[in-house]
Amino acid sequence: MKRSAIKRRPLADTVLDSLEAEDKEYRELDGSNLYFRVKPDGGKSWQLRYKNSAKKWAWLGLGGYPEVSGSLARKRAAEHREQISNGIDPQEQKRAAKVAAERAAERLFRVAAESWYDAKCQQGLAQSSLDKIRTYLDADILPELGDRQLDDISRTDCARLQMRIEDRGALNVAKKVRGWLNDIFGYAIAKGLTENDPASRLKSIAKPAPTPQQYPHLLEPELPDFIKALRRSNSRMIPRTAAWLCLWTASRPGMVRFAEWKEFDLDAALWTVPAAKMKMRRDQLIPLPRQAVEALREVQAMTGRTRWVFPGTGPKNPVISENTIGKVYALVGYKGRLVGHGTRHTASTLLNEHDFDGDLVEAQLAHKEEGTAGIYNQAAYLRQRREMMQWYADHLDALGDGRVLPSVGHRRLQ
């Protein structure tokens, strides 16, 4: 209907439904400064005209029609008129409420935790470490504390989170979560989001961490039979070569699994693992013994056109699984006796027993930053380590052949 046909106020529901749009927006008075607005596109809504705190006329939106019916709009208008009569400007109150809500959102633990995690991502932390943080943020920390205000989280809340993780036997996880909670609250304090640090004393009530257990590994007297068994392995070339590469280089299984062809210079017999993948925060140069280069060239013929040296199956499994390398060892009779990470213990023990310099061994294993090895650049001891790891690969061959390998010329740093 045309607005010229309106007969009475307040506006009847039939009028509200049928009012036609015009070329320009218009408002029709419903009563007591409550207006019904009609836009050229047909949109309809309610507005209250009032004098604001500056004593100037202003419009206050009360909602769209038909979501806000005539009766509801009149009720809302009456409530706002009462506020206005008491000196409260509804617009200012609305803005203040919005600011308060935004400030409250900034002070949610979830927001602070995500901001802290983003900062960690910018610090060059190894992807494996970031993945671990992400996993336990999503699985434990955020479900418990995420939707709480930072100032509302108590020591009891943090202690309860720690206890729940401990109760499932994940004491090492509880230790890491405790450290991350400390970091998150410290970050929030530094950002001025809270003065509250309820995670600062959790260590005092934490269950003691279990005694570290060594990964299953082999000692030198056990290696001859193992090498013979591994040579007879019926596993496919890709997992079998990954298992050998762990053995020849004493590298972490995760580094082997996620190895990319761009990291290898087979002509130079060198594998450069970028800092982003390393716990050491610097590139790790891994010399490749002759045996590893030969095996990798065979694999390159199969996977050299792909990103990954040891690809998995399908988009959800870009590389071989974390159990694949251990399975190769298990299938040749060494289940429970050797796992991928255990090859590092085997190499460390054997090389130290054969009197190789401890700094050489530590540099190869990329174990630590402190000490002599830690102050060298990314090429630390490359020449000496190249000789050491070639001796090691040759020694493994000799053990498998029942031979005794001659000693090398030097084993101490010079």
Side-chain angles (χ1 to χ4, degrees):
M1 65 178 287
K2 302 290 186 182
R3 58 173 170 159
S4 59
I6 296 174
K7 300 297 184 182
R8 62 183 180 84
R9 322 282 174 170
L11 303 172
D13 290 342
T14 54
V15 173
L16 299 175
D17 286 335
S18 60
L19 269 178
E20 298 176 5
E22 298 180 1
D23 292 339
K24 293 183 179 180
E25 174 182 301
Y26 68 87
R27 296 180 179 89
E28 281 297 322
L29 179 66
D30 182 81
S32 302
N33 286 336
L34 175 63
Y35 287 81
F36 189 67
R37 181 174 64 168
V38 181
K39 292 184 176 181
D41 63 3
K44 299 176 180 180
S45 61
W46 294 97
Q47 289 183 313
L48 178 66
R49 184 168 170 78
Y50 76 104
K51 281 192 175 182
N52 60 23
S53 56
K55 304 304 180 184
K56 295 183 178 180
W57 286 104
W59 292 100
L60 176 66
L62 301 183
Y65 180 87
E67 290 81 8
V68 176
S69 64
S71 59
L72 179 56
R74 294 173 196 115
K75 179 180 178 182
R76 288 182 178 180
E79 292 171 351
H80 286 304
R81 282 193 291 270
E82 184 176 354
Q83 286 181 315
I84 294 166
S85 67
N86 291 327
I88 299 173
D89 186 328
Q91 295 276 33
E92 291 182 0
Q93 186 183 55
K94 186 176 181 180
R95 283 193 290 267
K98 182 180 179 181
V99 170
E102 290 173 350
R103 288 178 177 174
E106 288 178 358
R107 287 165 171 74
L108 278 178
F109 180 89
R110 181 184 305 280
V111 174
E114 294 293 356
S115 180
W116 167 82
Y117 176 75
D118 289 343
K120 287 290 184 185
C121 291
Q122 301 302 315
Q123 292 172 9
L125 211 60
Q127 188 59 48
S128 59
S129 298
L130 291 173
D131 290 345
K132 189 172 293 185
I133 293 173
R134 185 74 260 171
T135 294
Y136 292 111
L137 272 175
D138 293 339
D140 291 300
I141 300 174
L142 294 180
E144 184 78 19
L145 304 175
D147 296 326
R148 304 280 299 279
Q149 292 286 310
L150 288 163
D151 286 340
D152 293 340
I153 297 173
S154 67
R155 294 188 184 277
T156 301
D157 296 324
C158 294
R160 185 185 303 113
L161 172 57
Q162 176 176 267
M163 183 175 64
R164 285 181 178 175
I165 298 172
E166 290 175 342
D167 284 349
R168 66 175 191 251
L171 300 187
N172 286 325
V173 172
K175 179 180 178 181
K176 290 183 180 297
V177 167
R178 181 167 64 246
W180 297 332
L181 284 175
N182 278 183
D183 278 355
I184 292 168
F185 279 107
Y187 177 87
I189 289 171
K191 287 285 189 178
L193 300 175
T194 186
E195 297 298 326
N196 187 31
D197 184 11
S200 60
R201 295 289 182 178
L202 291 179
K203 185 177 179 181
S204 300
I205 59 172
K207 292 181 180 179
T211 303
Q213 299 294 317
Q214 288 188 327
Y215 291 96
H217 62 285
L218 301 177
L219 300 178
E220 188 166 359
E222 303 170 281
L223 288 174
D225 288 342
F226 169 70
I227 297 298
K228 293 174 186 176
L230 190 56
R231 286 172 176 172
R232 297 191 299 267
S233 171
N234 291 323
S235 295
R236 293 180 297 108
M237 178 186 288
I238 289 175
R240 186 176 70 245
T241 304
W244 274 109
L245 192 61
C246 268
L247 196 64
W248 285 323
T249 63
S251 297
R252 294 180 176 87
M255 287 167 49
V256 172
R257 291 173 52 227
F258 286 95
E260 302 177 51
W261 281 118
K262 67 181 181 180
E263 299 168 1
F264 288 86
D265 184 342
L266 296 183
D267 292 333
L270 189 65
W271 176 16
T272 303
V273 184
K277 291 185 176 182
M278 294 299 299
K279 292 184 177 181
M280 301 288 283
R281 309 299 170 266
R282 65 177 182 228
D283 291 354
Q284 171 73 357
L285 301 187
I286 302 174
L288 297 171
R290 169 183 47 80
Q291 294 88 334
V293 172
E294 292 173 357
L296 285 168
R297 287 196 188 280
E298 291 187 38
V299 172
Q300 192 174 42
M302 296 179 60
T303 69
R305 294 181 180 273
T306 66
R307 173 185 177 183
W308 307 106
V309 178
F310 305 111
T313 55
K316 292 185 178 180
N317 302 289
V319 299
I320 57 176
S321 76
E322 60 183 343
N323 299 318
T324 298
I325 293 172
K327 186 176 180 180
V328 173
Y329 301 144
L331 290 174
V332 297
Y334 284 79
K335 183 177 181 179
R337 298 177 63 188
L338 180 66
V339 295
H341 214 100
T343 61
R344 292 165 59 78
H345 292 269
T346 293
S348 177
T349 301
L350 189 148
L351 291 170
N352 278 288
E353 286 179 348
H354 282 268
D355 205 30
F356 280 92
D357 192 285
D359 280 343
L360 285 182
V361 178
E362 291 300 300
Q364 179 66 24
L365 297 175
H367 262 164
K368 57 183 179 180
E369 293 280 354
E370 64 270 20
T372 309
I375 64 175
Y376 275 67
N377 65 15
Q378 63 170 345
Y381 312 135
L382 183 58
R383 175 180 59 81
Q384 298 97 322
R385 287 194 292 120
R386 188 180 293 279
E387 294 178 8
M388 178 179 72
M389 296 312 291
Q390 185 59 61
W391 177 90
Y392 179 61
D394 291 342
H395 186 62
L396 293 176
D397 280 347
L399 291 174
D401 294 341
R403 296 182 288 110
V404 176
L405 192 69
S407 299
V408 294
H410 67 81
R411 292 177 182 160
R412 293 290 170 186
L413 287 173
Q414 296 181 358

